[in-house]
């Protein structure tokens, strides 16, 4: 019978490493969430399948002493060596974003800053839970509500929880329609949620749209050099979109490039979901911290709007819910705010204000990521 | 090394909480929020200037 042992080696491996069964289950849950619940399917499905794939008996897709598996190679080349995958994805995201609503109403940028509060609060909470500072900072970036930024920062900081951080970032982004209404209602009254905001957008010239990505890159790069890669690639994609001469490249960045990277990013991140690295209390706490980050991002934006209202005349008050849209989860957050506004008052249309705050959140999140990296560098962590 | 920076405040769920890490996280919160607002205000200012200077030309 020993001649046929090669047929049962795999089963024996599973018997000796029962943790892989848990990871298969987690992979199955992620696939179920992607297909059945439509929660960020483009990322959760590849990650779910990847979680199963990387927990098969070795060498499998991971490799061993004599060979390098395909997922290990993708991780080394696409993420470990240069963080290329999340950065290239930013080119696509930049090409998808129309900053027009923000350019016509630039005060919305403030909400894109205020709604990053959850990131920094979560870092402190994580430290209080006993995480080393480097992992605490990585977990905080889940609050960027921006998967590529979370992956990028946790990779640069070499966090042990990169897999959990990616899963948390994308899972909670899918749960924005549940998390944000809960958080907003915690800190607002019905009367505040009914504040109407007339929308009178200023016209935005083509020159402004073209200069905007260049100037943002210069400002972010000068103040927070560590954000240059994140902001630079995001704005590069946006410049391709707005220049008016590269329609084909813009369509390619928005479609095929973003899709290709998305396919491989999810399955590559799964490299960090090997049972021996993933199954620990830290992973569970990272998932919980992600929720804290999203809730306090929203609360930060809402409270900042309420603070501004103290100084604004009665007819120019800001609906505080718009502040909550300052997170990076675009366009979900803006849609949630619009839906909530219509629920309170079916004539209150906040969508364009919320979109402005939401795209400001895209900038805020990458700047926050860059600031965290700059801070880590100043502490000698990188 | 400064002995103050190695003070263990208490034992938490995952391990010891170092006072140095806690102060650093609070410093990050303060500097981070200020940093973001500075960047956002600068960008807002630039947009306002761009909107003013390019409006009449196009």
């Amino acid at each position: 019978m020993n001649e046929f042992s090669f047929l049962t080696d795999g089963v024996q491996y599973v018997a000796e490493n029962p943790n892989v069964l848990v990871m298969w289950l987690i992979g199955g849950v992620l696939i179920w969430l992607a297909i059945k619940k439509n929660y960020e399917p483009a990322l959760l499905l590849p990650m779910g399948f990847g979680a199963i794939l990387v927990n098969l008996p070795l060498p499998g897709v991971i490799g061993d002493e004599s060979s390098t598996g395909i997922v290990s190679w993708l991780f080394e080349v696409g993420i470990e060596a240069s963080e290329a995958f999340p950065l290239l994805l930013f080119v696509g995201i930049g090409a998808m974003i129309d900053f027009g609503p923000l350019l016509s109403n630039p005060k919305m940028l403030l909400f894109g800053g205020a709604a990053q509060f959850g990131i920094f609060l979560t870092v402190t909470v994580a430290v209080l839970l006993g995480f080393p500072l480097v992992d605490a900072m990585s977990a905080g970036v889940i609050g960027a509500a921006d998967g590529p930024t979370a992956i990028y920062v946790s990779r640069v900081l070499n966090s042990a929880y990169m897999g959990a951080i990616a899963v948390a970032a994308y899972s909670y982004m899918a749960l924005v329609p549940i998390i944000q209404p809960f958080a907003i209602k915690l800190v607002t009254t019905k009367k505040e949620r009914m504040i109407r905001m007339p929308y009178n957008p200023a016209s935005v010239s083509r020159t402004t749209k073209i200069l905007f990505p260049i100037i943002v890159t210069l400002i972010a790069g000068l103040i927070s050099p560590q954000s240059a890669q994140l902001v630079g690639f995001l704005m590069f994609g946006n410049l391709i979109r707005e220049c008016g001469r590269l329609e084909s490249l813009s369509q390619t960045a928005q479609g095929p490039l973003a899709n290709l990277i998305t396919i491989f990013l999810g399955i590559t991140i799964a490299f960090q979901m090997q049972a021996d690295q993933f199954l620990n209390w830290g992973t569970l706490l990272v998932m919980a911290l992600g929720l804290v980050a999203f809730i306090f991002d929203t609360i930060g934006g809402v409270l900042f709007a309420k603070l501004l209202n103290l100084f604004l005349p009665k007819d120019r008050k800001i609906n505080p819910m718009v502040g909550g849209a300052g997170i990076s989860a675009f366009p979900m957050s803006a849609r949630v705010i619009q839906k909530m506004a219509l629920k309170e008052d079916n004539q209150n249309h906040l969508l364009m204000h919320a979109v402005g705050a939401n795209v400001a959140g895209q900038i805020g999140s990458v700047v926050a990521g860059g600031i965290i990296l700059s801070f880590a560098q100043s502490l000698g962590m990188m | 090394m400064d002995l103050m920076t190695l003070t263990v405040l208490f034992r938490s769920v995952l391990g010891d909480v170092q006072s140095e890490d806690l102060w650093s996280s609070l410093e990050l919160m303060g500097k981070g929020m200020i940093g973001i607002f500075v960047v956002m205000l600068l960008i807002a200012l630039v947009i306002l200037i761009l909107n003013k200077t390019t409006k009449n030309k196009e």
Side-chain angles (χ1 to χ4, degrees), chain A residues 119-378:
Chain A
I119 295 178
F120 300 107
L121 182 80
T122 303
V123 175
T124 302
V125 174
V127 166
L128 288 172
L129 286 172
F131 280 94
L133 187 57
V134 71
D135 290 324
M137 290 197 284
S138 303
V141 183
I142 297 171
D146 177 349
T149 301
I151 292 166
Y152 178 84
V153 172
S154 58
R155 167 59 214 139
V156 174
L157 292 178
N158 206 14
S159 170
Y161 298 100
M162 196 178 124
I165 286 165
V167 173
Y170 283 108
S171 304
Y172 290 128
M173 260 195 286
L175 293 176
V176 159
I178 297 167
I179 297 169
Q180 285 215 298
F182 163 76
I184 288 170
K185 284 181 180 173
L186 271 182
V187 290
T188 55
T189 62
K190 187 175 174 65
K191 193 179 166 192
E192 287 171 328
R193 295 196 294 274
M194 289 176 72
I195 293 175
R196 290 189 178 186
M197 293 172 69
Y199 185 64
N200 304 308
S203 63
V204 179
S205 67
R206 186 161 165 257
T207 309
T208 300
K209 287 188 170 182
I210 291 172
L211 288 177
F212 175 73
I214 300 169
I215 292 172
V216 168
T217 305
L218 287 171
I219 292 174
L222 288 172
I223 293 180
S224 172
Q226 289 291 338
S227 69
Q229 296 202 85
L230 290 165
V231 177
F233 271 55
L234 183 75
M235 291 300 154
F236 173 55
N238 191 249
L239 183 60
I240 290 174
R241 172 198 173 96
E242 298 296 352
C243 74
R245 301 281 184 197
L246 298 170
E247 185 54 28
S248 173
L249 291 193
S250 172
Q251 292 302 324
T252 303
Q254 291 178 45
L257 174 70
N259 287 341
L260 271 172
I261 298 292
T262 301
I263 289 170
F264 290 112
L265 182 63
I267 213 157
T268 304
I269 289 301
F271 176 80
Q272 295 280 321
M273 295 177 75
Q274 293 169 64
D276 53 344
Q277 299 170 19
F278 195 83
L279 293 178
N280 53 56
W281 288 111
T283 297
L284 278 180
L285 288 174
V286 164
M287 300 299 286
L289 285 168
L291 185 59
V292 171
F294 269 66
I295 289 174
F296 281 94
D297 275 347
T298 307
I299 289 177
V302 171
L303 292 184
F304 185 71
K306 288 174 75 159
L307 178 70
L308 289 184
N309 278 344
L310 295 176
F311 307 99
L312 291 172
K314 203 175 177 183
D315 59 331
R316 296 187 63 191
K317 299 276 187 207
I318 296 166
N319 188 313
M321 293 196 294
V322 170
I327 66 169
S328 180
F330 179 83
M332 246 177 301
S333 184
R335 284 186 193 148
V336 167
I337 303 307
Q338 164 75 349
K339 202 172 160 189
M340 285 184 77
L342 290 175
K343 199 175 167 188
E344 301 291 353
D345 170 0
N346 62 12
Q347 293 300 310
N348 195 6
H349 296 279
L350 295 179
L351 184 64
M352 292 316 288
H353 296 288
V355 167
N358 212 176
V359 294
Q362 292 270 338
I363 299 173
S365 67
V366 289
V367 172
I371 286 173
I372 285 182
L373 291 177
S374 297
F375 190 76
Q377 192 177 36
S378 73

Side-chain angles (χ1 to χ4, degrees), chain A residues 103 128-129 205-208, chain B residues 12 14 25 36 40 51 54 58:
Chain A
L103 295 173
L128 288 172
L129 286 172
S205 67
R206 186 161 165 257
T207 309
T208 300
Chain B
S12 188
L14 276 189
S25 72
I36 283 189
M40 292 309 210
N51 280 342
T54 62
E58 296 179 28

